[in-house]
Amino acid sequence: MSTCVLGVDSSTQSCKALLVDADTGEVLERRRAAHPPGTEVDPAAWSQALHQVTADLLPRASAVAVAGQQHGMILLDEAGRVIRPALLWNDVRSAPQARRLTEHLGGPQEAARRIGSVPVASYTATKVRWVRENEPENARRIAAVALPHDWLTRELSNGDQLWTDHGEASGTAWYDPAARRWLPEIASWAAGHDIALPRLAAPHQAVGTTSSGAVLAPGTGDNAAAALGLGMVPGDVCVSLGTSAVVSVVSETPAQDGTGAVSGFADATGRYLPLATTLNGAPVLDRVARLLGTDHDGLAELALAAPSGADGAVFIPYFAGERTPDLPEARAQLLQMGAGFGRKTLARAAVEGLACSVLEALEKVLDQTGARAQRVLLVGGGAGSGALRTILAGILGRDLEVPDPEEFVALGAARQAAWVLSGATQPPRWSAARTRIVRADPTPGVYERYLEARNRIYPEGSPHT
């Protein structure tokens, strides 16, 4: 009988669990439960979903790990009770506190040197500071702060100790990725007094056991878990195209980007996972398809029927403003339409614009790390677009590997659980996901025209509206 491990992905929208063969990585069973909507959620709802998806699987698992949505904030009092609803990563009310934290750290470049990133509202420290400034009675009660993954790992444990891993810690803004240690003085600045932080676990360190006797692995954040699930190694690049686009690379060296474009996170293996995030991902294709009165297949057919470069038309896909580059007040633009402009060229320009945005993020990550991309993996909902796959490969000028769809975050958590169970110094080697290779047909000049047009309207770093 095979040894099984359990991997959990507690994301913003839902909790997913995979029961996996520890030796081969074969997924044996799956479970899923929804999370409530919103950017402020009672952690009890996450706990309920966790227990729902693991109830019949955990007794069959020899080890378990939880991967969770990064950042976030769960405040605990002296008795370990939750003080107020958790604030999620996508709650932006703490943007002013992010600016104050950057100033407190000595400016953007010094902040990046100390914590690996320039603070933004997503990060835990900014949210705690917001509570201190707006809910002082709650702030005075803070004894400890947990991230969603830390909280859920403790929910599965027989003990009451909070644990986290270095990947999750690097998204709090009170951790130094280069030195791989907490910076408790920043946590004290945020809360107004000293607070307890979770214990830091090594990547393959057991942190307890469950009531069923399963070994409890430390878990990690969702991006680091996805990298584990995909089997990424140094030099591998992942483009995850969902609501936003996230471009990450496994690196041996930390990133310290004072422009704020690249977040210098740690990964779940002892390495680093610098990443850049755009605000505009697959929904760009949804919007343009609706505008053209078609669906995704129809949009792809139109785009691929138009010539490379869309007869000179350029589409800037900033429907939601943009984070990479930092243009929060920018809006989508359609430029340089010629006499032959029509439905096909609009479709092509939209897909090319999204692909160019991804390439800009990729270049920033590679520039920060000095890495050379070995493989480029494309995952997420946007990977289902044939036009995007083809056009992105051409604009990147390199082949793409598109794995078959899978819950890679939960799979990565399961791989970590198997690693801890094995006692080995390296993660287990599982069969790689089946992939299709999209061959690059380079399209020179498209990216250069995109940057020239974008910079004419929205010079990088300008607050244009």
Side-chain angles (χ1 to χ4, degrees), residues 7 48 79 154 167 170 276 279 361 429 444:
Q48 181 180 2
R154 192 179 73 171
S170 62
L279 297 181
R429 293 192 177 187

Side-chain angles (χ1 to χ4, degrees), residues 84-445:
R84 71 177 313 285
L87 295 182
L88 277 63
W89 64 274
N90 53 354
D91 190 301
V92 298
R93 72 185 72 179
S94 61
Q97 287 72 30
R99 291 191 290 271
R100 284 198 277 282
L101 177 55
T102 301
E103 294 168 2
H104 174 74
L105 294 173
Q109 190 59 57
E110 183 64 11
R113 186 191 68 79
R114 294 185 64 187
I115 66 171
S117 308
V118 178
V120 294
S122 301
Y123 295 175
T124 314
T126 72
K127 300 178 187 302
V128 175
R129 183 72 181 199
W130 182 91
V131 172
R132 177 184 174 184
E133 295 178 8
N134 293 274
E135 299 176 357
E137 291 187 7
N138 283 335
R140 282 191 288 271
R141 296 173 58 201
I142 300 172
V145 178
L147 284 80
H149 138 267
D150 311 337
W151 162 262
L152 293 171
T153 298
R154 192 179 73 171
E155 285 286 283
L156 290 177
S157 172
N158 281 320
D160 57 5
Q161 174 66 52
L162 284 170
W163 287 87
T164 198
D165 87 309
H166 293 266
E168 272 287 66
S170 62
T172 61
W174 52 53
Y175 171 89
D176 181 344
R180 305 187 75 78
R181 66 180 182 90
W182 288 125
L183 299 173
E185 65 275 15
I186 299 177
S188 300
W189 173 87
H193 57 270
D194 292 346
I195 59 175
L197 300 176
R199 293 182 66 180
L200 283 166
H204 53 290
Q205 178 181 348
V207 300
T209 57
T210 69
S211 59
S212 63
V215 174
L216 191 60
T220 190
D222 50 7
N223 288 301
L228 260 181
L230 287 163
M232 291 173 62
V233 298
D236 282 352
V237 173
C238 178
V239 177
S240 179
L241 200 60
T243 302
S244 60
V246 179
V247 180
S248 58
V249 61
V250 176
S251 172
E252 300 283 8
T253 57
Q256 298 178 344
D257 180 16
T259 72
V262 178
S263 298
F265 298 147
D267 77 347
T269 70
R271 298 185 177 93
Y272 298 92
L273 193 72
L275 59 85
T277 303
T278 75
L279 297 181
N280 298 275
V284 171
L285 305 181
D286 297 336
R287 289 173 180 267
V288 176
R290 287 197 301 270
L291 181 65
L292 291 171
T294 187
D295 56 15
H296 274 255
D297 290 340
L299 179 70
E301 185 177 348
L302 288 167
L304 294 175
S308 170
D311 287 332
V314 175
F315 186 80
I316 312 297
Y318 298 165
F319 287 109
E322 193 45 80
R323 176 176 169 181
T324 306
D326 185 20
L327 297 167
E329 303 302 324
R331 291 297 178 262
Q333 303 282 339
L334 181 60
L335 311 166
Q336 299 177 185
M337 294 168 283
F341 184 80
R343 296 176 77 242
K344 293 179 182 179
T345 42
L346 172 56
R348 181 82 188 201
V351 179
E352 288 183 343
L354 180 56
C356 287
S357 176
V358 168
L359 176 54
E360 186 168 10
L362 173 58
E363 286 193 336
K364 291 181 184 299
V365 171
L366 295 180
D367 285 348
Q368 264 299 304
T369 60
R372 297 188 63 182
Q374 304 300 316
R375 293 191 303 160
V376 179
L377 299 134
L378 178 64
V379 299
S385 167
L388 181 64
R389 294 193 300 264
T390 299
I391 292 171
L392 179 61
I395 286 176
L396 296 182
R398 61 177 68 246
D399 296 347
L400 296 179
E401 295 189 21
V402 184
D404 286 352
E406 183 53 273
E407 298 290 353
F408 288 109
V409 174
L411 187 64
R415 190 175 179 216
Q416 186 194 66
W419 185 10
V420 171
L421 187 65
S422 72
T425 58
Q426 295 295 323
R429 293 192 177 187
W430 287 350
S431 299
R434 291 188 303 173
T435 62
R436 76 182 84 176
I437 305 297
V438 180
R439 299 297 179 190
D441 182 9
T443 53

